[in-house]
Amino acid sequence: MAQTPTTFEVDGLAICTKRMQAGMEVQQLAEKAGITASYLRKLERGVRTRMRPGHYQALRAALDANPTELLRTPQDPPERK
């Protein structure tokens, strides 16, 4: 039986791109996902790269993203600062 990871390593650029495609401001997405705008900005800039499962699921739902669309992959470039 597969266990849920304790954290998800997210791709900030993918989050930012998906948010902009959805036509949302940072504050709008943060409210919809139930996280703070400050935390979302840190995720998008790559200052924070890990999310707990509940927050990750809420962010995915708010962006209508598939299960892996917002995750980092080994070939991802370093985040922008």
Side-chain angles (χ1 to χ4, degrees), residues 4-5 7-11 14-15 18 51-53 55-73:
T4 302
T7 60
F8 289 88
E9 190 168 356
V10 296
D11 179 351
I15 294 169
K18 190 78 172 169
M51 296 184 80
R52 290 190 173 158
H55 288 152
Y56 179 68
Q57 300 302 334
L59 181 63
R60 269 191 46 233
L63 288 171
D64 194 29
N66 72 46
T68 60
E69 189 173 4
L70 305 177
L71 296 179
R72 285 183 56 85
T73 59

